[in-house]
Amino acid sequence: MTQTSRFSFINVCIKQWQLFCLSVMFFTRLPVPKSTPYSSGLMNKANRYFPAVGLLVALLLCALYSAFRLLLPLDISVILIMIASLFITGAFHEDGLADMADGMGGGFTVEKRLLIMKDSRIGTYGAVTLILSLLLKFMLLLALAQQQLLIISLVVAYVLSRTLAASLIFNTRYVSDEDKSKSKPLASQQSITELCIVLLSGAAVLTLFIDKAWFTALLISLCVGLCAFRFLFRQWLIKRIGGFTGDCLGAAQQLSEIIIYLTIIAVSQYSANHSLFVEKIL
């Protein structure tokens, strides 16, 4: 490798690291180097690392869960990592889910729905949706922990759910007021390069389940389920508000995360029951 090529390679690595840091800064409360450059253009490119941020958060939660389990019961450890997740992300995606629920539930016109979503106050629809989603997530994580599947499920769900949410940017129109929106850097559509990086990130983590006998069934179930959810959710957003807002991306992440947990539990449970049935017959 020539000196010029080596310099170019290092420069590319530095730029990608800066984009990753920008993504971490935008989606979490984790500290990043103060020297990290910022611009709307760079922030828009940083959405390629949305799944990678999910991986980082998941690994931190897995480490905390392992530490908690040394001293605490299973259910308490699960609730503590849920609290830790809220602290690490600043409840960024949960806030989006609540705001979208308020807007979609309380507004009767596109303009009213978008206006309600921008309101920082939480309403009845948002509160109910948030409470039920957190309760369901706790029950799902507890069930996964009891099956010794929590750690790999966290990694897969945190990465794959952010993959789905980020992919909506590619072919869906941004409909909020860009000058006032906190999600303005994400308003531009993704390039095919960003989309490919996002999709490859999501596909890569699925290999964590490759040693399971039910891996193929899980892979098919997740692909069908998440693709169906993305299609229906996108069509619903277009019908209700004409496109997506930052809150809708947060909601997509939260809802798809729950779908992933449900799918893993359903497939593993079906596989276990099927194996038990075969053993009894034999």
Side-chain angles (χ1 to χ4, degrees), residues 251-279:
Q253 186 279 317
Q254 286 290 291
L255 294 174
S256 57
E257 182 183 340
I258 289 174
I259 290 172
I260 292 166
Y261 294 144
L262 281 168
T263 304
I264 294 171
I265 291 172
V267 172
S268 63
Q269 188 67 46
Y270 175 81
S271 177
N273 292 340
H274 179 70
S275 299
L276 183 61
F277 178 73
V278 171
E279 287 178 6

Side-chain angles (χ1 to χ4, degrees), residues 111-132:
E111 293 74 18
K112 186 64 175 177
R113 288 165 191 148
L114 291 174
L115 183 62
I116 294 174
M117 283 189 203
K118 294 176 185 176
D119 194 332
S120 60
R121 294 170 295 182
I122 188 169
T124 302
Y125 293 103
V128 170
T129 300
L130 192 57
I131 291 170
L132 290 178

Side-chain angles (χ1 to χ4, degrees), residues 168-185:
L168 288 169
I169 303 172
F170 180 72
N171 63 342
T172 313
R173 187 170 68 92
Y174 187 78
V175 294
S176 190
D177 184 348
E178 294 185 24
D179 293 328
K180 298 179 181 179
S181 173
K182 63 183 179 182
S183 300
K184 177 182 177 180

